[in-house]
Amino acid sequence: MGSERDLIGSERFCILDRDPAARRQLSTKLIALGAGSDRIFEVPGWGEAVNCLTDETIDVLFADMDTTDGTLGLADLAQTAPQTSILATSGSASVTMAVDAVSAGARDLLIKPIAEGRLADRLKIALPGTDKVATTQFGRIRSVSGRPASSSCKSTANDTAVTIADTASADRADFERFIGRSEAMQTVYKQIEKIAGSNAPAFITGESGTGKELCADALHQRSARSGHPFIAINCSAIPKDLMESEIFGHIRGSFTGAVENRAGAAELADGGTLFLDEIGEMDLALQAKLLRFIQTGAVQRVGDARTRQVDVRIICATHRDPLTDIQAGRFREDLFYRLHVLPIHLPPLRSRRADILNLANNFLATHAKEEGCGFSAFSPEAEEALLSGDWPGNVRQLENTIRQITVMNEGTRVEVSMLPPTMKRTQTHSATARVYETRTPLQDHDSIEPLWLQERRIIEATLSRFQDNIALAAAALEISPSTIYRKRQSWEAKLKNGHRHMAN
């Protein structure tokens, strides 16, 4: 972060945290931003922090909320050194905690572990000469009086007023590299914040194009491993006979074409994160080796008798339903439960339509600049068409659509006629309507069938239309995927009990 190194000159920092690992981690990141190690003071307790603030001229104090015993201790620290900017830290935080921290005298509240880029942004607020508005990930917390919030928890509204200009659900239009302020995305952001600091495996599900790799990268960037490699492998893009070598490496001569020793992705990710995209495409034999690796942390290159110990966090993703793959024998159940520790599901674009125009405008600005064209807005008709689209390819399809428009057309405003002909302009429920229109049970049979038979025909027809993708079919039918599983089990039970008059 070379451009950020000018941010810190001769400033002095104090880190108050009872966790020595947290102190070291933050100290290392401050040094990376240009701070001298002799100007960073690490203290484990509130009393030591008071002594440091009294004996030294401290520009920024990082105060862990647990170590200060909440806002009371934080307020006393602010009163001890009113000229020191305080950045409160916490392993888990909320809008309420952010407001309380600012009310007690902090300039901001940061969630640990703190990524280097986020630390640089917060220091721009905390260092002398910056304005008095803290734009946090919880909302814009403002000291209305024009000075830092009162250092006393007993202050009244006449002394200072602390407000949230935007609530968490409304303010976080951008999160890491995600774009979207919808309720569905706010849930995703909260999940990422909560599990990023863990070393346990994370399992990301979601349709193609919903941003699963973006999610994995966000988990990595917000973890203590952010300074180490993030290695991504697409299990569907590599031939299965080469996949083992890609993940675990090989030694020279182990197979045709192995002309030199080569480390695999697991070794390259040592200390960081290994992301296995489309894990459901992995060969069963390799799944067994992956399970062994997760259990032991030991890597054995193809053709090598020696093992190497590595420390990686595993994050995997799939667009398919893993339980369906397990039932079909395509995915090991023991591996699934080893990986499925911290699940995150990314919503399809049709479930977050409030984000479509925000995404579209962002993509338009980006690709118009890249292509050197003058597009800057959408016509109302084009906006309506974007909002009503099915978007089976999700955010990826939306971006590709906007890029195609900027390449193939000229002008300053995108008109509906510029949208590609392949783009669907019907609401999601139209897929359901087409299923009903294709075949109505009473038209095909002389007698009325039991309801469960009719349900089965409709659900199976929808699954067929979506290539047996349960998540897509459930969304089209406006039911949950678990409903389809339960009904399938019910059908099997009925058939075993003699109800075999299922229509073809």
Side-chain angles (χ1 to χ4, degrees):
M1 302 189 63
S3 62
E4 301 288 1
R5 292 186 66 86
D6 298 334
L7 179 67
I8 299 176
S10 58
E11 286 77 13
R12 297 159 74 84
F13 303 88
C14 179
I15 303 172
L16 166 60
D17 200 313
R18 66 166 63 102
D19 183 358
R23 296 198 303 269
R24 287 195 303 271
Q25 184 185 78
L26 182 52
S27 180
T28 299
K29 290 178 180 178
L30 286 170
I31 292 172
L33 290 173
S37 58
D38 59 332
R39 298 196 301 275
I40 301 174
F41 302 86
E42 298 181 18
V43 294
W46 184 88
E48 293 89 339
V50 171
N51 292 335
C52 182
L53 293 172
T54 303
D55 299 337
E56 304 287 345
T57 300
I58 300 297
D59 296 288
V60 179
L61 167 67
F62 294 90
D64 174 66
M65 294 289 283
D66 291 334
T67 307
T68 64
D69 194 24
T71 55
L72 289 174
L74 194 65
D76 288 338
L77 290 172
Q79 194 170 28
T80 299
Q83 301 306 314
T84 298
S85 291
I86 298 178
L87 291 175
T89 64
S90 177
S92 60
S94 64
V95 178
T96 301
M97 184 184 290
V99 174
D100 290 343
V102 174
S103 298
R107 296 295 301 275
D108 202 344
L109 176 66
L110 293 79
I111 297 179
K112 299 185 294 184
I114 308 166
E116 189 173 317
R118 186 170 299 278
L119 176 60
D121 290 339
R122 298 304 94 185
L123 286 175
K124 291 174 184 176
I125 291 172
L127 290 175
T130 58
D131 66 39
K132 304 301 183 184
V133 179
T135 304
T136 75
Q137 55 201 298
F138 309 101
R140 292 197 298 276
I141 302 177
R142 178 186 301 273
S143 171
V144 178
S145 63
R147 65 183 185 275
S150 171
S151 60
S152 172
C153 287
K154 298 179 181 179
S155 62
T156 66
N158 293 328
D159 297 321
T160 185
V162 179
T163 64
I164 293 188
D166 295 290
T167 64
S169 61
D171 189 54
R172 291 197 292 184
D174 300 316
F175 177 89
E176 296 297 335
R177 290 186 292 147
F178 282 105
I179 297 172
R181 62 173 74 233
S182 64
E183 184 178 348
M185 291 309 296
Q186 298 303 320
T187 299
V188 171
Y189 302 159
K190 291 174 184 176
Q191 286 182 298
I192 292 174
E193 287 175 340
K194 193 165 187 177
I195 72 176
S198 173
N199 284 320
F203 200 103
I204 306 170
T205 56
E207 298 174 13
S208 295
T210 50
K212 293 186 289 294
E213 184 166 351
L214 208 61
C215 180
D217 185 63
L219 288 170
H220 173 74
Q221 293 301 329
R222 285 178 165 261
S223 74
R225 299 175 178 270
S226 59
H228 298 277
F230 174 83
I231 305 295
I233 291 286
N234 189 327
C235 299
S236 66
I238 301 172
K240 68 176 184 178
D241 54 340
L242 296 178
M243 181 60 72
E244 182 178 359
S245 171
E246 287 294 321
I247 296 177
F248 299 120
H250 62 256
I251 63 173
R252 181 180 179 181
S254 56
F255 56 84
T256 303
V259 295
E260 60 182 0
N261 294 338
R262 182 175 179 274
E267 283 185 69
L268 296 175
D270 191 18
T273 301
L274 175 61
F275 174 51
L276 299 174
D277 197 7
E278 297 303 344
I279 185 74
E281 303 290 341
M282 183 178 288
D283 182 70
L284 281 170
L286 185 55
Q287 288 181 29
K289 295 181 180 180
L290 177 63
L291 178 63
R292 177 65 177 169
F293 165 62
I294 294 171
Q295 291 171 334
T296 65
V299 172
Q300 185 173 13
R301 296 181 181 180
V302 176
D304 197 356
R306 183 164 63 101
T307 60
R308 297 168 172 82
Q309 204 71 23
V310 297
D311 171 30
V312 298
R313 183 188 189 183
I314 301 291
I315 300 177
C316 58
T318 179
H319 77 281
R320 302 194 324 208
D321 189 286
L323 297 180
T324 299
D325 283 350
I326 290 172
Q327 292 174 353
R330 294 189 296 263
F331 198 81
R332 291 180 61 107
E333 186 173 12
D334 51 358
L335 177 61
F336 170 73
Y337 288 114
R338 177 69 67 169
L339 293 171
H340 198 263
V341 180
L342 300 172
I344 296 181
H345 180 73
L346 297 182
L349 190 54
R350 62 182 173 274
S351 296
R352 43 180 293 220
R353 292 186 181 276
D355 296 330
I356 289 178
L357 293 184
N358 195 9
L359 286 161
N361 281 293
N362 182 276
F363 294 145
L364 184 66
T366 299
H367 294 304
K369 183 177 180 180
E370 288 180 357
E371 301 298 335
C373 59
F375 286 112
S376 60
F378 296 89
S379 70
E381 295 78 13
E383 289 184 345
E384 180 62 30
L386 292 173
L387 287 170
S388 64
D390 281 340
W391 302 115
N394 295 294
V395 178
R396 183 183 297 128
Q397 182 189 2
L398 175 61
E399 180 175 14
N400 291 340
T401 296
I402 303 304
R403 186 166 194 173
Q404 180 180 341
I405 290 170
T406 61
V407 172
M408 302 298 293
N409 300 275
E410 296 180 356
T412 59
R413 191 171 79 158
V414 175
E415 302 293 342
V416 69
S417 60
M418 298 177 182
L419 297 174
T422 54
M423 177 185 158
K424 298 177 183 179
R425 295 180 174 85
T426 56
Q427 296 289 350
T428 305
H429 64 258
S430 64
T432 309
R434 286 193 298 270
V435 172
Y436 279 96
E437 292 167 0
T438 301
R439 193 173 194 183
T440 303
L442 293 180
Q443 292 176 340
D444 291 345
H445 299 275
D446 296 331
S447 60
I448 297 177
E449 292 180 319
L451 180 60
W452 71 272
L453 287 176
Q454 299 179 42
E455 282 185 336
R456 184 185 183 192
R457 181 180 299 105
I458 293 168
I459 291 174
E460 294 293 357
T462 308
L463 286 167
S464 177
R465 184 176 295 276
F466 288 102
Q467 289 78 51
D468 208 35
N469 187 311
I470 290 180
L472 284 176
L477 292 168
E478 298 182 1
I479 59 177
S480 67
S482 61
T483 298
I484 295 180
Y485 290 122
R486 288 197 303 270
K487 288 189 177 296
R488 278 184 160 177
Q489 292 175 346
S490 174
W491 299 335
E492 291 175 1
K494 289 178 183 296
L495 289 172
K496 288 179 180 179
N497 289 334
H499 297 281
R500 301 183 181 277
H501 53 286
M502 177 64 63
N504 295 326

